[in-house]
Amino acid sequence: MTRPSSPLPASARRDLVAILGEDAVFDDAVHRKIYDSDGYALDGVTPDAVVLPRTAVQLQQVVKWCVRHGVPYAARGAGTGLSGGCLTLGGGIQIGTSRLRRIVEVNEVDRLAVVEPGVVNLQLSQAVAHLGLQFAPDPSSQAACTIGGNFAENSGGPHTLKHGVTLPHILGATVVQPDGELAVWGGRSQPGPGVDLLGLGVGSEGTLGIAVELTVRLVPTPESVATFLAVFETEADAAHAVSGLIARAIVPAAMELIDRVMLRAVEEAFSFGFPLDAGAVLIVEVDGSARDLKHERPVVRDVLNEFGAREVREASSAEERTHLWRARKHAFGAIGRMSPNYATQDGVVPRGRVPHIVASIAQAAKRHDVVIGTVIHAGDGNIHPCVLFDERDDAQVDRALAACKDILERCLELDGSPTGEHGIGMEKREFMPLLFGPADLALMTDLRDALEPTGLCNPHKILPGASPCGELRVAGRQVAL
Amino acid sequence: MTIDAREGLVAHLGLAAVGERVVRPKHRESSRLCVETFVETRTPWWPRGGGGGDKEGDRTATKPLAPSDPDRWCLDMRGLDSILDYWPDDLVCRVGAGITFDNLQTTLARRGLRLRGSSLRPRDTTLGGAYARGDAGLRGAPGDSLRDQVLGLVAVAGGGEVVKAGARVVKNVAGYDLARLFHGSHGAFGVVLDFVLRLEAIPGASHCVALPTNFDAALDLLSKWRRPARSFDPAVQLWLNATASRALGGPEQGALFLMAEGWPESIDAWREATARAQGVTLANEAAQAWNAVRDLDANHALWIQLPASRLVRWWGDNQGWISGRGSQPNLVADLLAGSARLWSTPSPFDGELVAEVARTVREAGGWVWSPTAASSPSPALIRLKRALDPHGLLPPIPTPVLGPTDG
């Protein structure tokens, strides 16, 4: 059959409705428009149709239908990704997992949960909170993003500094493979002998299959938490303090740097009381037993002061801590008030080079005459510069794009990576040859071809090369990181 | 391998580095050259570290000794045993894959650092060997295995090409994570030459205890601790059955072995609380107890993957008949990781018993990995093997006893 970039042929629609029901197949212009982008602000691709299966069996049947008819498809969680990973580049069907949202099992003794991929990250932690447990990966979009999406992108978050990104928290996955058959990767135990397909699958951006059930690890919620807000005159001082803390054998649960631009945006939105004349603030959170914190509190204070903090405050209550984190996690919503549009990046540098990349971001802003607000998962070296622009002004768009490119290239020069937690998707394929050699890319191609022989499962992603044109556009988006 | 090719290796590596079907490179480039020679001469080969796979009866490691496979060469990686780079501000280092855990940890300890991953028999076990075997070590918490400390690596794939995975950053999702190809795959796709590793500061204090208890009681105790969950959890939580416990000089009825790490005040409090709750602390010398467990000689062990609550039921249901077959079963269960090593002394389990163990574990919802028995790989894995080992020179893909499965 042909694959029009406009609505589905009637026969295809009939087939999909037969599998899913009338209320789960959307090919009208409005729905297709809604699903034409994720958190990636600069490009969009309108899918031929969007389907929302309610069961794993339905999802598998849709994939089998796509394989039979040669129709490309891509899975979508909540659409909070930043690299266009869920878009149907070249046409095809978007398979949303938002209706697969059951928490199937919670086992407090074995500290695991079995969930469907559409379960929202935060809802799982809320559901197990009464057991003193949580799902550790906590992307700033955790109130919206799904665990299936976390699996596909190997998501991080502020608190993954101590607990790790998504990979170590996934024990097993039931996956609809690209040919439509089910496979089980991993199980209910920490991976051991055997080909680590689970490890390959986590972070493969939905190009090797679609998870329909995930077994995830739960970790204890900390007995005690101390959250500090350190105010610095300059971003550089704040960045140096990060290395200072790591060198003192403290592994904070989170360590977030917020620059002057972002501070102003957050303060205007949340009135937290951030000092608007500060160069940057560092949020440092340590957790553990009460005795652990008795030891760590003074060390954290000393190091922050030693590196030039002009003020160090500790959250005095759970409410104050919650308010502080709300302000941080909504930073990108806040900055949306400052500009019609913005483009957010996701680079990484070795954590000792955070001061270097902080300086480079400032230089890029100056060189390209753009305003950039930045938050950094500082303990991980994971930067999120947010370049402001107005899509109605082509020159601004060009300058914003150039600034983004400069920053990511600088990450590579500093032995880093163009993405720490949002993937290559369709946005960053051009960076792959800068990061990997021909042999590496050839092996990745071999790997994908071996595990994805159909060429239909989220094609044209990750690897560089010729790809069909999307409907390139510019649109304003607000995304939490 | 042809005589010319062998002489070529001798010319490049020196006579001492080329033995009878064994070659011992010392650097990344000489390792690449060896693989290139194997590929050009279509010589079957297998990578070998410190012999941990031999001791555990790794079926792939015994290949060169098998009469049916007399031409397979061994690429002995123990010569790549250096720390190649160290970035103190990042707490990251790059090491040769042939370095042993103990040598690495000893060197790092001089700077107050360590690698969080662990392994059985760390004196002999190389990082490359442990990684290839999917050895998760003795620390079962999320993020504690060697797999989770590997930020990047350089490897030679089966076709002879040198490939790079990851970077020296602690967070990175660029492209397919080729590092995972070499984890747990027993050298079926190639050999790792060096690793980029995440390091951490050595905790201020640690303490080990071995509490005399049977499996039911051990899990009951842990369950009580876990309801509600507590943030202070021992990093190592192993249960040893009577045979394994006695072999280490531990309690007769079996032992719950715990090791906690942290700030000294926290560890002191934990030690006192544990002693108070249990009345007895058999091994309170951390180093002594830890060394005993880590040096456990689990020869020809089956690797069982079952979470703790299922494992205790499975063991309760099956230990009787396993013992009744004339063997002395040893079980070491990692209650955090949800896995166990099961082996027999003095002689290994026979194939019939392995198959029966696998069947019962499978019924309980888990998997068994055996040194001697395996199922057929899935079509996807076969395609992967063909792509990465196009000449079929490397060992077969490891699969569980009962299949088919994809992992």
Side-chain angles (χ1 to χ4, degrees):
Chain A
M1 67 179 285
T2 58
R3 288 184 289 98
S5 59
S6 55
L8 229 46
S11 61
R13 190 175 200 290
R14 267 197 309 275
D15 288 350
L16 291 171
V17 167
I19 295 169
L20 299 161
E22 186 70 46
D23 64 347
V25 180
F26 305 95
D27 61 343
D28 60 284
V30 172
H31 277 93
R32 291 168 58 235
K33 180 72 178 167
I34 290 170
Y35 286 87
D36 77 351
S37 61
D38 60 2
Y40 174 43
L42 293 166
D43 287 347
V45 179
T46 306
D48 296 347
V50 177
V51 299
L52 300 175
R54 286 187 171 82
T55 67
V57 171
Q58 285 184 344
L59 193 151
Q60 184 184 15
Q61 287 175 333
V62 170
V63 171
K64 285 187 169 181
W65 180 89
C66 288
V67 172
R68 269 200 309 278
H69 294 88
V71 176
Y73 58 91
R76 178 189 180 103
T80 57
L82 276 183
S83 59
C86 65
L87 306 187
T88 50
L89 194 56
I93 290 177
Q94 208 171 78
I95 303 174
T97 59
S98 58
R99 290 178 178 174
L100 290 158
R101 54 181 179 229
R102 283 187 313 140
I103 297 174
V104 178
E105 177 190 347
V106 173
N107 186 320
E108 61 178 308
V109 174
D110 294 329
R111 289 187 179 161
L112 60 83
V114 180
V115 300
E116 292 186 330
V119 169
V120 170
N121 175 298
L122 183 60
Q123 286 175 354
L124 176 59
S125 284
Q126 289 171 335
V128 298
H130 69 287
L131 301 171
L133 296 170
Q134 61 178 336
F135 181 56
D138 69 331
S140 296
S141 59
Q142 70 178 141
C145 69
T146 64
I147 294 175
N150 300 161
F151 168 85
E153 302 295 335
N154 196 13
S155 303
H159 288 82
T160 52
L161 174 58
K162 183 172 186 176
H163 296 292
V165 292
T166 299
L167 176 64
H169 299 278
I170 303 285
L171 293 172
T174 302
V175 177
V176 177
Q177 297 180 112
D179 63 1
E181 296 303 317
L182 283 180
V184 177
W185 296 344
R188 294 167 71 96
S189 305
Q190 179 170 277
V195 179
D196 191 4
L197 285 178
L198 181 68
L200 283 167
V202 176
S204 62
E205 306 190 30
T207 62
L208 303 180
I210 303 175
V212 290
E213 190 171 274
L214 293 152
T215 303
V216 304
R217 299 187 83 152
L218 303 172
V219 299
T221 46
E223 180 184 313
S224 302
V225 180
T227 308
F228 298 90
L229 178 71
V231 181
F232 291 88
E233 294 293 349
T234 68
E235 291 172 57
D237 288 346
H240 285 293
V242 172
S243 298
L245 273 168
I246 289 172
R248 294 284 286 274
I250 300 281
V251 182
M255 189 149 49
E256 300 285 297
L257 190 155
I258 306 176
D259 81 349
R260 186 193 304 266
V261 174
M262 207 55 105
L263 266 183
R264 185 170 300 118
V266 171
E267 186 58 25
E268 284 175 6
F270 296 99
S271 304
F272 182 81
F274 288 127
L276 292 177
D277 61 336
V281 299
L282 204 55
I283 300 173
V284 180
E285 186 162 286
V286 288
D287 66 19
S289 68
R291 284 186 175 82
D292 286 340
L293 263 57
K294 191 178 167 191
H295 180 97
E296 291 183 357
R297 267 194 178 96
V299 178
V300 171
R301 275 188 178 280
D302 286 351
V303 173
L304 292 171
N305 286 323
E306 185 184 321
F307 281 83
R310 76 176 195 210
E311 180 190 356
V312 179
R313 282 195 252 163
E314 182 179 347
S316 58
S317 65
E319 290 72 29
E320 193 178 350
R321 179 178 309 115
T322 303
H323 187 40
L324 178 58
W325 278 113
R326 187 180 299 126
R328 158 60 191 93
K329 292 195 175 187
H330 289 83
F332 287 83
I335 205 162
R337 297 154 58 113
M338 293 179 65
S339 171
N341 310 88
Y342 61 83
T344 307
Q345 284 304 335
D346 168 37
V348 198
V349 294
R351 44 194 173 191
R353 293 184 169 180
V354 168
H356 299 76
I357 195 66
V358 163
S360 298
I361 292 169
Q363 287 161 9
K366 195 172 177 184
R367 186 180 312 125
H368 298 288
D369 189 22
V370 289
V371 175
I372 302 178
T374 302
V375 296
I376 302 178
H377 303 312
D380 293 330
N382 187 188
I383 61 166
H384 291 310
C386 189
V387 184
L388 309 187
F389 66 95
D390 185 338
E391 65 179 335
R392 296 164 296 189
D393 180 344
D394 288 345
Q396 277 196 47
V397 174
D398 290 344
R399 293 204 305 274
L401 285 168
C404 290
K405 189 164 182 287
D406 272 11
I407 293 167
L408 292 181
E409 285 178 350
R410 182 67 179 141
C411 287
L412 295 178
E413 286 168 8
L414 292 169
D415 286 337
S417 163
T419 175
E421 54 187 8
H422 286 273
I424 294 292
M426 60 187 240
E427 181 213 2
K428 292 178 177 170
R429 290 169 299 173
E430 65 178 290
F431 288 96
M432 290 292 279
L434 304 177
L435 186 60
F436 296 106
D440 311 327
L441 294 172
L443 193 66
M444 287 188 198
T445 304
D446 287 346
L447 184 155
R448 187 185 61 185
D449 291 348
L451 299 178
E452 206 295 74
T454 70
L456 300 172
C457 182
N458 204 9
H460 315 303
K461 304 288 170 59
I462 301 180
L463 296 172
S467 61
C469 294
E471 300 163 24
L472 298 184
R473 65 175 180 79
V474 177
R477 306 282 295 177
Q478 295 184 356
V479 177
L481 290 162
Chain B
M1 182 180 292
T2 63
I3 292 172
D4 284 351
R6 190 180 193 285
E7 286 178 353
L9 286 178
V10 170
H12 279 96
L13 276 62
L15 188 59
V18 183
E20 181 64 27
R21 286 187 290 141
V22 176
V23 59
R24 304 177 191 88
K26 284 194 173 296
H27 308 102
R28 185 194 279 188
E29 177 53 25
S30 52
S31 306
R32 187 200 61 76
L33 182 75
C34 292
V35 177
E36 188 179 274
T37 305
F38 295 145
V39 172
E40 283 175 358
T41 58
R42 300 293 188 266
T43 302
W45 63 284
W46 58 288
R48 183 184 190 279
D54 299 350
K55 279 198 167 184
E56 287 189 4
D58 180 340
R59 65 194 170 88
T60 58
T62 60
K63 276 283 180 187
L65 307 176
S68 61
D69 199 9
D71 297 326
R72 188 173 291 273
W73 276 59
C74 170
L75 182 65
D76 186 334
M77 297 300 291
R78 284 175 292 181
L80 282 76
D81 59 353
S82 304
I83 296 179
L84 303 165
D85 286 302
Y86 168 54
W87 297 282
D89 288 348
D90 306 332
L91 293 186
V92 169
C93 72
R94 187 166 68 89
V95 303
I99 196 167
T100 62
F101 275 86
D102 266 5
N103 282 346
L104 176 60
Q105 301 288 32
T106 302
T107 307
L108 292 173
R110 293 188 200 117
R111 295 175 184 269
L113 299 174
R114 69 171 186 179
L115 173 73
R116 202 191 297 181
S118 64
S119 172
L120 281 185
R121 292 182 300 280
R123 284 190 198 92
D124 308 322
T125 302
T126 63
L127 262 57
Y131 193 74
R133 290 204 314 280
D135 182 349
L138 300 170
R139 311 170 59 96
D144 274 9
S145 70
L146 173 61
R147 173 198 195 227
D148 300 315
Q149 318 314 318
V150 172
L151 304 176
L153 56 77
V154 172
V156 189
E161 61 277 26
V162 176
V163 294
K164 182 192 105 171
R168 64 177 258 214
V169 287
V170 296
K171 204 171 176 188
N172 181 14
V173 291
Y176 295 106
D177 192 351
L178 297 179
R180 308 301 163 200
L181 274 175
F182 301 95
H183 177 260
S185 52
H186 286 234
F189 301 129
V191 61
V192 177
L193 304 181
D194 55 59
F195 291 102
V196 179
L197 302 167
R198 175 206 306 261
L199 306 176
E200 65 180 12
I202 295 173
S206 67
H207 184 72
C208 302
V209 295
L211 306 170
T213 172
N214 62 30
F215 204 164
D216 282 331
L219 192 66
D220 194 44
L221 179 64
L222 283 177
S223 299
K224 281 177 189 159
W225 285 359
R226 292 177 179 185
R227 292 191 182 109
R230 309 215 175 160
S231 60
F232 192 80
D233 238 5
V236 174
Q237 301 181 13
L238 304 174
W239 182 76
L240 285 67
N241 79 335
T243 315
S245 178
R246 282 198 298 267
L248 299 181
E252 285 291 314
Q253 69 268 50
L256 177 61
F257 178 93
L258 305 170
M259 183 180 75
E261 299 170 331
W263 299 108
E265 302 92 322
S266 303
I267 295 301
D268 286 347
W270 179 76
R271 184 176 56 213
E272 286 165 18
T274 309
R276 233 185 357 260
Q278 301 307 312
V280 59
T281 302
L282 283 187
N284 57 7
E285 290 298 326
Q288 180 188 333
W290 176 239
N291 286 340
V293 169
R294 71 180 202 151
D295 288 338
L296 203 65
D297 209 9
N299 279 335
H300 294 80
L302 305 181
W303 183 296
I304 297 173
Q305 290 188 283
L306 268 182
S309 63
R310 293 187 183 188
L311 192 61
V312 71
R313 279 199 298 274
W314 175 84
W315 183 243
D317 290 346
N318 292 281
Q319 61 172 320
W321 71 261
I322 295 174
S323 302
R325 297 277 185 94
S327 62
Q328 290 251 18
N330 295 255
L331 184 85
V332 174
D334 186 330
L335 304 177
L336 274 172
S339 63
R341 288 175 168 90
L342 175 66
W343 73 101
S344 171
T345 48
S347 54
F349 292 129
D350 62 42
E352 194 179 322
L353 190 140
V354 169
E356 188 62 9
V357 167
R359 187 186 63 74
T360 55
V361 170
R362 181 83 180 263
E363 283 173 2
W367 304 106
V368 171
W369 300 83
S370 158
T372 53
S375 57
S376 300
S378 69
L381 284 182
I382 291 170
R383 287 195 300 271
L384 196 58
K385 175 72 170 165
R386 283 187 188 138
L388 295 165
D389 180 21
H391 309 297
L393 302 176
L394 282 161
I397 294 173
T399 52
V401 177
L402 284 177
T405 176
D406 272 320

